[in-house]
Amino acid sequence: MFILTESLTFPPADYTDDDGLLALGGDLTIDRLLVAYHSGIFPWYSQGQPILWFCPDPRMVLFPDDLKISKSMKQIIRKKQFEVTFNTDFDGVIQNCAHVKRPDQEGTWITKEMQHAYKKLFDLGHVVSVEVWENSNLVGGLYGVWLEDKKVFCGESMFSTVSNASKYGFIALVEWLKQKEVKIIDCQVHTDHLASLGAKEITREEFLNFLK
């Protein structure tokens, strides 16, 4: 286990434990976060814990051409059930991601400290937020770090208060990223929700090659 110092360097990714935990400590400054994401590393910890930094193996990713849209979702899209915007209500998205209750999850890893740090990244253009609206109400959304120089999008969190809203927003994001020639979308770790949309696991080495 590595304890970070004031230096912005991280240990090699293959020094992680079986859960993908690489290091602890450090801070959530803009410079450190950008070094981390360009190295395939992300912070993930709960209130009361030190900052924990992960680089899991395998890595859950979506190649944009692998996106799966079910027949029912295609019908919802054709009906234009929701409206999607980009970068118009980041605060609303991240607060909902932090507070919407999820099955088998107590508390949140999106602490006030995390919200403040990603707001700074958003203000500098390094974070993209997607908002999903129904009748002018924010009912879904997601946000992530956009490494434009690498054409890699690192998804962080999504939420939904209405059925299919987060899927609707994710599909819209993939289409938006395709226009920007995205190579790969980092989903970090496996979930059935992401797998249903076409995401799959690859080795950490394969993922890191996209960042070189």
Side-chain angles (χ1 to χ4, degrees), residues 24 56 143 175 192:
L24 62 83
Y143 71 96
E175 295 303 323
D192 292 339

Side-chain angles (χ1 to χ4, degrees), residues 147-203:
L147 304 178
E148 189 168 7
D149 57 328
K150 301 296 184 181
K151 301 299 181 185
V152 173
F153 182 82
C154 304
E156 277 298 310
S157 186
M158 63 174 65
F159 83 96
S160 180
T161 59
V162 173
S163 180
N164 294 311
S166 62
K167 283 187 178 181
Y168 198 99
F170 185 77
I171 291 167
L173 172 67
V174 174
E175 295 303 323
W176 185 82
L177 287 170
K178 281 183 178 181
Q179 297 176 20
K180 297 185 176 295
E181 300 180 343
V182 67
K183 295 178 181 177
I184 195 170
I185 297 167
D186 175 26
C187 303
Q188 298 180 348
V189 295
H190 179 276
T191 69
D192 292 339
H193 179 67
L194 291 166
S196 72
L197 290 164
K200 64 182 181 182
E201 291 181 326
I202 62 173
T203 67

Side-chain angles (χ1 to χ4, degrees), residues 18-107:
D18 292 341
D19 294 323
L21 178 61
L22 179 63
L24 62 83
D27 50 50
L28 296 177
T29 61
I30 299 300
D31 288 343
R32 187 183 297 277
L33 284 169
L34 290 177
V35 169
Y37 279 97
H38 278 88
S39 305
I41 300 164
F42 57 88
W44 189 17
Y45 65 102
S46 299
Q47 189 71 44
Q49 291 181 317
I51 301 172
L52 305 177
W53 300 89
F54 287 82
C55 188
D57 186 16
R59 192 82 168 218
M60 191 73 166
V61 302
L62 175 73
F63 293 98
D65 289 340
D66 290 345
L67 177 66
K68 292 180 181 178
I69 306 176
S70 66
K71 289 183 179 180
S72 60
M73 276 304 303
K74 288 178 180 178
Q75 290 177 345
I76 291 171
I77 292 169
R78 281 196 296 268
K79 292 178 181 177
K80 297 183 178 179
Q81 178 175 335
F82 303 104
E83 178 186 357
V84 176
T85 59
F86 292 84
N87 300 325
T88 62
D89 191 3
F90 171 80
D91 288 343
V93 169
I94 196 169
Q95 287 170 19
N96 273 280
C97 286
H99 296 127
V100 169
K101 291 186 177 180
R102 307 169 195 271
D104 303 321
Q105 179 178 313
E106 296 182 4

